[in-house]
Amino acid sequence: MTADLSDTLAKPVPMYAKVKQTIVEKIYTGEWKPHDRVPSEAELVRQFNCSRMTANRALRELTAEGFLFRLQGVGSFVSEPKGQSALFEIHSIADEIASRSHQHSCKVLKLSEVNANMTQAAEFGIAVGSPIYHSIILHYENDMPVQIEDRYVNAQAAPEYLRQDFSQQTAHDYLSQVAPLTEGEHIVEAVAGDARSCRLLQIEANTPCLSISRRTWSKTGIVSSAKLLFPGHRYKLKGHFSS
């Protein structure tokens, strides 16, 4: 595995990817805010000493990925983030299910090391190609699938992540132990489930689903980034607050 990673890190990063990473980093850090104009193709050519085709590809792909929007004859701008709702607490799904006096179980579909792509590297604050961990876990409530947990983990924050038995302890509980959470972020969206997700959740294709994008931090930085997908008719959000 080490040799493969070294080979990956040794490969030069394409110039268009470097341009994209620079723009994404400025968006994630808040240096460039929604509706801020980003450098034009000509400005990127001068800044990176690259071709016009390279600059165009970077801007075109970032637009397709939702980071930017382009106004014909005006330029490219940082996109407005999608509407979001705050959830006040972060709980383990096993605890949530137990609180309803129901039985939790899960199936680990994937648990592996991958190399961070440009977006992941910017999100975790690491170099492109650095190792991160990827897990996909299907959670059940009374033998009914209720959540797909697709999680990426900072390898430096939880170096033993791949050695855990997540059928016995949730990833959330394990990470809370090895890298106690100090901050969390939720982005909630209504989405149509894709074919594979719907098969796993045992629902009809394109059934409305609830998607929660969750990022968590410890004192040392971001710990994990997860996408949690629920069948819309099997899950609801509940928040409690007091003044």
Side-chain angles (χ1 to χ4, degrees):
M1 181 179 293
T2 303
D4 293 341
L5 179 58
S6 298
D7 292 342
T8 300
L9 292 174
K11 294 179 181 178
V13 178
M15 180 56 71
Y16 79 89
K18 292 181 180 179
V19 177
K20 288 177 65 178
Q21 183 178 9
T22 299
I23 295 173
V24 170
E25 286 176 345
K26 290 181 181 295
I27 293 173
Y28 270 122
T29 60
E31 182 177 344
W32 290 353
K33 296 177 171 52
H35 302 288
D36 280 355
R37 182 184 176 278
V38 304
S40 65
E41 289 181 12
E43 290 167 331
L44 291 175
V45 167
R46 290 194 295 271
Q47 180 179 344
F48 290 91
N49 192 27
C50 64
S51 69
R52 187 104 182 194
M53 184 180 299
T54 294
N56 177 271
R57 177 174 178 177
L59 293 175
R60 188 175 69 250
E61 290 191 4
L62 287 173
T63 300
E65 292 164 9
F67 289 101
L68 306 176
F69 66 93
R70 306 182 78 173
L71 297 179
Q72 187 67 33
V74 179
S76 299
F77 301 83
V78 178
S79 294
E80 185 78 31
K82 293 183 179 180
Q84 55 187 6
S85 298
L87 302 181
F88 307 123
E89 298 176 343
I90 296 177
H91 295 294
S92 162
I93 187 170
D95 291 340
E96 292 181 3
I97 291 173
S99 71
R100 296 190 284 270
S101 299
H102 290 176
Q103 183 68 37
H104 168 265
S105 61
C106 71
K107 182 184 297 183
V108 179
L109 305 179
K110 182 173 185 178
L111 187 59
S112 64
E113 178 180 303
V114 298
N115 298 317
N117 62 27
M118 182 200 65
T119 302
Q120 293 162 342
E123 185 173 28
F124 282 96
I126 57 179
V128 173
S130 297
I132 55 176
Y133 301 140
H134 184 205
S135 61
I136 301 178
I137 301 173
L138 181 61
H139 294 275
Y140 296 82
E141 181 170 352
N142 292 347
D143 298 324
M144 178 67 69
V146 293
Q147 184 199 89
I148 300 172
E149 173 193 326
D150 190 340
R151 184 186 297 270
Y152 289 92
V153 175
N154 187 335
Q156 296 178 356
E160 299 298 314
Y161 187 79
L162 297 183
R163 300 185 181 183
Q164 306 310 306
D165 181 359
F166 292 123
S167 66
Q168 301 299 315
Q169 181 185 39
T170 66
H172 167 82
D173 287 340
Y174 171 71
L175 292 173
S176 296
Q177 292 174 6
V178 300
L181 307 183
T182 59
E183 185 179 351
E185 173 189 84
H186 286 117
I187 299 176
V188 184
E189 299 176 282
V191 300
D194 60 63
R196 179 176 180 272
S197 296
C198 288
R199 284 197 302 272
L200 291 173
L201 293 171
Q202 299 177 18
I203 55 179
E204 295 293 329
N206 297 314
T207 295
C209 293
L210 180 69
S211 173
I212 299 178
S213 298
R214 172 185 291 175
R215 291 197 296 168
T216 54
W217 286 261
S218 69
K219 291 182 179 179
T220 57
I222 188 168
V223 175
S224 77
S225 176
K227 287 190 178 297
L228 313 175
L229 188 70
F230 306 81
H233 64 288
R234 294 183 196 155
Y235 194 79
K236 63 181 179 180
L237 298 177
K238 179 180 179 181
H240 179 268
F241 64 94
S242 58
S243 58

